[in-house]
Structure formats: C-alpha cells, structure tokens
Amino acid sequence: MPPLSSTAPVAPPAARRRPWRRGLLAAVLLALLLGGAYYLRHQVQLNRYARRAWATFTKNGLTGREKTPLLAGYSVHGIDVSSYQGRIDWPEVARNRVRFAFIKASEGATLRDPRFARNWREARKAGVLCGAYHYFLPNRDGKLQADLFAKIVPLAPGDLPPVLDVEAANFHDVAVLRREVARWLRLIEAHYGVRPILYSNHSFYKRHLAGHFDDYPLWLAHYEVERPTLPPSKWIIWQHSDEAYVPGIRGVVDFNVFKGNFESLQALRIPAIGPSQPARAGKAK
C-alpha cells in the first residue's frame, strides 16, 4: 500500500478566491444601497451641485448672452455678484430688467473682493441701484470685519443699505456668532446712518438667527420652492436661484426678487437728508 501523503489536498484557486469575491460583492451592494438612500434624501441639493459644477466646467463655452426667464409674479428683479462672475457688461445687464445689484466688497477681516471697485462704478453708471455686502466669517471678530467693510465701501445717499451675509457654519458657539453679528450690524448702522440688511439661507436662518435679529430687514435665500416658507412679513428680498443666466454675465449668477414695487425699493435707499451721512473712510466707530 502506498504511503499516506502528509499534505492536505490543495483547494483549487477558484475555491480560495470565492470568499474574497463574496465580501467584495457585499461591500459594493451595501455602498450602492447607502448611496441610493443618501441621494434620495438629498437629491435636490445634489442635483444643484451637479448643475453648478457643470456650469463652471462649461463656462468657457458660454457667450454671456444666455438668459433665464424672470420669476413670474414679481416686478423688481436683481442680482448679487462677486469676483466669481468675472468681468460684467453692466449696460447689458441693465437692459435685461435688472433693477438692483448687491456687490461683494469684503469677507472676514482681511479679504477685499478684487472686482468690487469696478463693479460698483460700472453698475451705478449703468443705472442699476447698488448695495454692497460683506461675507461674515464667524471665527473672526465682528468689529474687525465691520472696520474692513467701512474702509472699502463708499456708500452715499441714493445707494441701497449695506448687507451682512451670514451663512458660514464653521463655528462652535452660536451665542458668540450672534454676539459678533450683532456687533457688525450695530457698528455699520452707526457708521452709515442706515439700518443694514441681514442675508442668510433658509435653513441657517431658522436654526441660528430667527428671533434674534427681527429688527433688521431680511434677505432670504431659499431655492427649489415656489415661494419661501417664511411668511412675506419676515423678508423683503428673496434669492430664488443661484444658477441663473443674465445677459452681460458669462456664467451663472444669483437671481433675486424684491417683495414690493420699484418705488418701495427706492424708499430703502440711503436718504439725501436726515440722520444718515455719506460714508466716511476709516474705522466703524
């Protein structure tokens, strides 16, 4: 009788690989299920991000004459811009029923928008009612941010009030955020002699700001809805899209509507007489 072999039978290669393949297949199926569930829950936002990414990718193929229809039911339409929009043909923008524009001036305590001066000059020359906005960083001192804005923005009678854009979520203490926002608003109101406008998106406003700044006019960003869920008494401007096309701008731009008529918008302007004074260079006092 031949001697017994001391080595166990070797499994075929396919049999050795089978458990590894089953694990990989299970991981792929789990990832697909989780990804599908996440997409179904956040599909509106994800679709918007995809459209914005595509618009940025194809920006060089645009002509600057693309046009998004104006939102029905409103008579006063406007935009807000920053250096992201590049060089803007303001006369062309004005010819397409854009009545007002808010132009980014600053961010945080040090950043100045490099296109602010040109946008400010050319938009006013084209007959567009102008205001300026500051992008608030919650981890920086409110007074330093107010000082920066006051140094840059030459608001004068006939301009729209200054705007504070509060939406950055990188903070740890909401009480500190509210304190520094209140400081910026108070200092800028004292500096220009006009009450600023507070800008925020719907979810951030509801979570962190609602009920704390009701004395300030609200500019609300709320997308993919027929109308804001906040009652009209709570807001004066609605940013209804951040992916609109306006002739004169190559690429997407934020689109807004004012709640009232053009005369009501004009009434918001810094008055020529009264307690307000033209903007001064230097720090907000």
Side-chain angles (χ1 to χ4, degrees), residues 15 37 82 127 181 190 206 210 219 228-229 234 242 268:
S82 69
V181 166
K206 291 282 286 183
W219 173 8
T229 56
K234 292 288 187 181
D242 63 345
L268 283 180

Side-chain angles (χ1 to χ4, degrees), residues 104-108 111-113 133-135 145 148-149 152:
K104 184 177 181 180
S106 50
E107 177 177 330
L111 192 150
R112 303 173 180 229
D113 190 286
Y133 76 90
H134 175 84
Y135 187 86
Q145 299 193 59
L148 176 64
F149 184 85
I152 296 172

Side-chain angles (χ1 to χ4, degrees), residues 112-153:
R112 303 173 180 229
D113 190 286
R115 292 189 180 271
F116 171 73
R118 182 188 184 278
N119 281 332
W120 187 255
R121 182 182 65 252
E122 297 301 318
R124 296 172 89 207
K125 189 188 300 183
V128 177
L129 286 186
C130 289
Y133 76 90
H134 175 84
Y135 187 86
F136 189 83
L137 294 184
N139 56 351
R140 301 304 301 270
D141 180 86
K143 184 179 186 305
L144 293 178
Q145 299 193 59
D147 288 345
L148 176 64
F149 184 85
K151 288 177 183 177
I152 296 172
V153 181

